[in-house]
Amino acid sequence: MPPTALEQQLNFLREIDRLKSVVRQSPLLDQSRKENSAEHSWHLALYALLLHDYAAAPVNSNRVIQMLLLHDIVEIDVGDFPLHAGFSSDVQAKQEAAAAVRLFGLLPPQQGSELLALWQEFERAESEDAKFAKALDRLQPLLINVFTGGGTWTENNVSLAQVVSRYGPVIKRGAPQLWAVCEQWVIRHFAGQTAGSQHKQ
Amino acid sequence: MPPTALEQQLNFLREIDRLKSVVRQSPLLDQSRKENSAEHSWHLALYALLLHDYAAAPVNSNRVIQMLLLHDIVEIDVGDFPLHAGFSSDVQAKQEAAAAVRLFGLLPPQQGSELLALWQEFERAESEDAKFAKALDRLQPLLINVFTGGGTWTENNVSLAQVVSRYGPVIKRGAPQLWAVCEQWVIRHFAGQTAGSQHKQ
């Protein structure tokens, strides 16, 4: 007997429980441990709910929230690719695309196709919703690094120029007002480091 | 100088990072550790996105998602009250209401009021959106218990009758079709336990 739609949906919901075990590079703000991709996705959805007025162009905040809830589930198959690790983005993109097909393929066909399309829209980063979602996905770890006195920047010996080039374009494109604030934080952070007094919360 | 709206919003987003450290009674499905309330909220938002067609009456799934993303943030101040622990629900309700006022009070006034109202709507559990959200909040730990061979039921020596009375009314009221499935799982689970063969995934 083929599975019912509900059985397929519950199977998907069980499968994505595994995202809670995918550990990211960024710590929690209290630095007690590293963040996982499920709680990161929760946090980002709330960034979208609160900050959508700062998008570069009008966005549908509910679509952005849905994108951000789903954007990392491919990491269940392929893991997290850290921003500062220098992986090939082609290899990463292919592996993630295959993971998306497998995971959304667990769902009833119509629902699976719609959510796969939403995930692909996020990855393409061309629509206003996707550009804003991408900006938030870059903003949240930047905020963590600033407010934990360096975080993954310190661990990876990343310079001010590298931070500006790796975070700036994506955040600026999707949320220019937010980048203006981030840029000031980043400059202050690296100025404090140079002076030997790490920026602490 | 009073904080800008953006500073208030970012302050709120920093504060709620603490929900990632509130540990629930339920384990992850792989039983590697207990679940935290931030990743639980992420999971529930996806339950709402996928399962809204099973609501007892038509719901606005985007409002349900927003409710579920926010529903547990009061635990930052008051912790998680386990279903099977027998706390006074009056004490719990008062503490949580005060926590909601404090936390949403960090936001710009209009945004804070709107989200506080959404949280209060969830707590009252009277609107269709809130009844469905409450049903999912009860369904997700039930599913975990069934698929981990007992989970918090085994730990707390909870009987079939107690499970039916503690989960049934809330799930049935918000999502009767989902309760019909849950009830079968629960009966099978306890039948298996009686026979000495725990139901495993």
Side-chain angles (χ1 to χ4, degrees), chain A residues 7-199:
Chain A
E7 283 167 348
Q8 292 176 306
Q9 290 158 327
L10 293 173
N11 195 29
F12 177 88
L13 288 167
R14 284 168 65 183
E15 180 73 5
I16 64 171
D17 201 69
R18 294 167 58 202
L19 195 62
K20 299 169 189 170
S21 299
V22 175
V23 178
R24 293 167 51 80
Q25 294 298 304
S26 298
L28 301 193
L29 283 180
D30 68 5
Q31 303 190 59
S32 56
R33 61 172 172 82
K34 300 282 189 186
E35 190 183 37
N36 72 60
S37 292
E39 61 199 3
H40 161 73
S41 300
W42 164 78
H43 212 167
L44 279 183
L46 287 174
Y47 272 67
L49 178 62
L50 294 178
L51 302 181
H52 56 85
D53 283 347
Y54 304 99
V59 293
N60 178 334
S61 60
N62 289 315
R63 291 188 82 243
V64 176
I65 288 170
Q66 291 178 18
M67 268 182 202
L68 289 168
L69 289 171
L70 292 166
H71 80 294
D72 269 347
I73 65 165
V74 293
E75 295 179 358
I76 288 168
D77 286 3
V78 303
D80 178 44
F81 287 86
L83 181 61
H84 307 299
F87 280 106
S88 154
S89 63
D90 274 0
V91 172
Q92 175 184 355
K94 276 186 193 155
Q95 291 182 357
E96 290 185 346
V101 169
R102 183 188 80 78
L103 285 160
F104 292 113
L106 298 172
L107 287 168
Q110 191 185 334
Q111 191 168 49
S113 301
E114 286 170 11
L115 296 181
L116 176 61
L118 193 69
W119 181 85
Q120 290 167 335
E121 179 183 332
F122 171 81
E123 283 301 301
R124 278 196 304 276
E126 291 166 1
S127 71
E128 295 303 334
D129 290 349
K131 283 189 278 186
F132 182 57
K134 285 275 182 188
L136 297 180
D137 191 30
R138 203 57 60 96
L139 168 66
Q140 188 251 9
L142 181 148
L143 193 147
I144 293 173
N145 282 345
V146 167
F147 290 112
T148 58
T152 63
W153 300 337
T154 307
E155 283 173 16
N156 293 283
N157 204 21
V158 173
S159 69
L160 170 60
Q162 285 170 323
V163 168
V164 169
S165 72
R166 289 177 191 173
Y167 294 77
V170 175
I171 301 178
K172 194 171 184 177
R173 191 165 85 124
Q177 270 185 275
L178 298 180
W179 175 247
V181 173
C182 291
E183 195 172 23
Q184 292 309 308
W185 284 342
V186 169
I187 289 169
R188 274 206 304 270
H189 168 74
F190 280 92
Q193 252 197 348
T194 308
S197 62
Q198 280 212 331
H199 179 122

Side-chain angles (χ1 to χ4, degrees), chain B residues 113-127:
Chain B
S113 300
E114 286 170 11
L115 296 180
L116 176 61
L118 194 68
W119 181 86
Q120 290 167 335
E121 179 183 332
F122 172 81
E123 282 301 301
R124 278 195 303 275
E126 290 166 0
S127 71

Side-chain angles (χ1 to χ4, degrees), chain B residues 77-143:
Chain B
D77 285 4
V78 304
D80 178 43
F81 286 87
L83 181 62
H84 306 299
F87 280 105
S88 155
S89 64
D90 275 0
V91 171
Q92 176 184 354
K94 277 188 191 152
Q95 291 182 358
E96 290 184 346
V101 169
R102 183 188 79 77
L103 285 160
F104 291 114
L106 298 173
L107 287 168
Q110 192 186 333
Q111 191 169 49
S113 300
E114 286 170 11
L115 296 180
L116 176 61
L118 194 68
W119 181 86
Q120 290 167 335
E121 179 183 332
F122 172 81
E123 282 301 301
R124 278 195 303 275
E126 290 166 0
S127 71
E128 295 303 332
D129 290 350
K131 282 190 280 188
F132 182 58
K134 284 274 181 188
L136 296 180
D137 191 30
R138 204 56 61 94
L139 168 65
Q140 188 253 9
L142 181 148
L143 193 147

Side-chain angles (χ1 to χ4, degrees), chain B residues 171-186:
Chain B
I171 301 178
K172 194 172 183 176
R173 192 165 82 126
Q177 269 186 275
L178 298 180
W179 175 246
V181 173
C182 291
E183 195 171 24
Q184 292 309 308
W185 284 342
V186 169

